[in-house]
Amino acid sequence: MNVLLVGSGGREHAIAWRLAQSKKLGKLHIAPGNPGTAQCGRNVDIGSEDVEGLVDFAKSNDIALAVIGPENPLAAGIVDAFERAGIKAFGPCAGAAQLEADKAFAKQIMRSNAIPTAESRAFDTFADAKAYIASRDEPVVVKAAGLAAGKGVFVCDDPADGILAAEKIMIDRIFGDAGNVVIVEDKLLGQEVSILAFVDGRNIYVMETSQDHKPIGDGDTGPNTGGMGAYSPAPIVTEPLMSQIVREVLVPTVDGMNRNSTPYRGVLYAGLMMTQAGPRVLEFNVRFGDPETQPILMRLKSDLLEVMCAVCDGRLDEVTLEWDPRPAVCVVMASGGYPADYEKGKVISGLDAAAEMEDVMVFHAGTAEKDGQIVTAGGRVLGVTAMGATIADAKANAYRAVDMIDFEGAYCRRDIADKAVSPAE
Ligand code: AMP
């Protein structure tokens, strides 16, 4: 079976790597891909948001399944377009992708299905948002309702900061139309976890747990990024807690989406805060998370292509997922200056030596090939991922690999997975 994978980040390299191991795979094409995905299949020079170009390519290259990595093409209706062309596509249709693309929609689904989340209000004028924030004397979280590459959320400790955030989003329009509406919600306290599940419209199959690290700095300081690292599993999610999450969050979401006539198919990602009052949804994503996918897929032993086909065909109950019990840790190496301005084109050294380490995968994200060398081409450059007997071992392995790799200005957090390492380790 020939597959077209859409996207070009670390997540897509991890997906391509696993798909390439499938017994069912014929040819794997990645559009547009990166130098890492080029080691797993053939990169095709079509942008991930060029829906028409991608569908045309699939029609003329005998593609049986399209796998969509990022959220933007999903929100733009790429799955609908593939299905109109008679090609199976892994991911939700545009109506269901609103769960991520429109936080006001997500809040409404949560409200009408009694799914636990922070109290919130939506505003479409700055004046109203400002008046509301000023009336609150507790910390608030201000979010652009639309897609902002994971950077549209401001956690504010006082109303003045909250008003400034709303101004940046609604008046300075730093996220463009994604900031036409803001959501202002109560700030929640607790540890965060990401729960990813395969959903086929009816059946839910939860993957191993993970936790990402959004802020740029050690100790969760500084501005939010696309994600600076992740580990799997997240020991905080005990079995009873997972049952509670499935019962209180995943099942009502899938049911609610059916009732809303936007049935859900693909990967459903619930970003949760484990508060003292129980799990609360911070956000939904409608695709694999980046970088959580890297440690999760490193641990997946089953055939990913078979699982994706089962999701598309509505027969997820026929597959089983097998996992490597060993933990995995992914450390993101970023360009100096990210998430603000950074330079590109820095030559990366040490990739081959790191790739030779046992139980290590160096997933490419913002890289490019230039004159036979791999150079930096984005903010998040590499996702260095390693397994180990314990989470502490996996962390040590990942940083050993990180320390073999270098490029001018390279930056990474040094505390990835510390939250999960027990003092005894
Ligand atoms: P989101 O994209 O909505 O998950 O938000 C990005 C990050 O902002 C989350 O991973 C949390 O760290 C933080 N965040 C979002 N909503 C809240 C909230 N209600 N309370 C505290 N932190 C939050």
Side-chain angles (χ1 to χ4, degrees), residues 198-262:
F198 290 108
V199 177
D200 69 358
R202 189 168 53 95
N203 300 293
I204 299 169
Y205 208 137
V206 181
M207 294 180 224
E208 285 288 290
T209 55
S210 63
Q211 179 161 4
D212 75 349
H213 297 65
K214 283 261 177 204
I216 186 75
D218 283 14
D220 285 340
T221 51
N224 273 341
T225 67
M228 294 303 294
Y231 58 85
S232 170
I236 182 179
V237 186
T238 55
E239 248 174 64
L241 192 51
M242 181 58 105
S243 307
Q244 187 183 358
I245 292 166
V246 170
R247 199 173 58 241
E248 293 181 2
V249 176
L250 299 182
V251 169
T253 304
V254 172
D255 286 350
M257 291 297 276
N258 279 326
R259 265 198 300 280
N260 192 55
S261 305
T262 46

Side-chain angles (χ1 to χ4, degrees), residues 103 141 143 153 185-188 192 224 273 282-283:
K103 286 185 192 285
V141 180
K143 304 184 174 186
V153 174
E185 66 180 36
D186 293 351
K187 181 177 170 183
L188 302 174
E192 283 179 49
N224 273 341
M273 186 79 91
L282 296 177
E283 64 165 344

Side-chain angles (χ1 to χ4, degrees), residues 101-256:
D102 181 356
K103 286 185 192 285
F105 172 89
K107 281 287 184 185
Q108 181 235 313
I109 290 283
M110 287 188 256
R111 206 166 294 134
S112 50
N113 293 282
I115 296 161
T117 185
E119 282 302 315
S120 72
R121 291 191 45 187
F123 298 96
D124 58 8
T125 69
F126 173 63
D128 288 347
K130 182 178 172 184
Y132 175 71
I133 298 168
S135 73
R136 311 277 319 225
D137 42 5
E138 272 150 36
V140 289
V141 180
V142 180
K143 304 184 174 186
L147 292 177
K151 297 170 199 130
V153 174
F154 296 82
V155 180
C156 307
D157 285 324
D158 59 54
D161 278 353
I163 292 169
L164 211 59
E167 191 174 332
K168 280 188 198 154
I169 297 171
M170 301 189 93
I171 305 290
D172 303 342
R173 299 181 60 77
I174 56 172
F175 305 119
D177 284 349
N180 287 349
V181 171
V182 295
I183 311 290
V184 180
E185 66 180 36
D186 293 351
K187 181 177 170 183
L188 302 174
L189 293 177
Q191 265 209 50
E192 283 179 49
V193 292
S194 308
I195 303 294
L196 280 75
F198 290 108
V199 177
D200 69 358
R202 189 168 53 95
N203 300 293
I204 299 169
Y205 208 137
V206 181
M207 294 180 224
E208 285 288 290
T209 55
S210 63
Q211 179 161 4
D212 75 349
H213 297 65
K214 283 261 177 204
I216 186 75
D218 283 14
D220 285 340
T221 51
N224 273 341
T225 67
M228 294 303 294
Y231 58 85
S232 170
I236 182 179
V237 186
T238 55
E239 248 174 64
L241 192 51
M242 181 58 105
S243 307
Q244 187 183 358
I245 292 166
V246 170
R247 199 173 58 241
E248 293 181 2
V249 176
L250 299 182
V251 169
T253 304
V254 172
D255 286 350

Side-chain angles (χ1 to χ4, degrees), residues 52-90:
E52 208 178 309
L54 291 164
V55 173
D56 283 348
F57 175 87
K59 282 201 281 200
S60 48
N61 285 274
D62 194 23
I63 297 294
L65 174 73
V67 176
I68 319 302
E71 59 276 21
N72 283 337
L74 290 168
I78 195 170
V79 170
D80 313 61
F82 274 115
E83 286 180 351
R84 275 196 301 274
I87 296 167
K88 244 183 238 179
F90 179 85

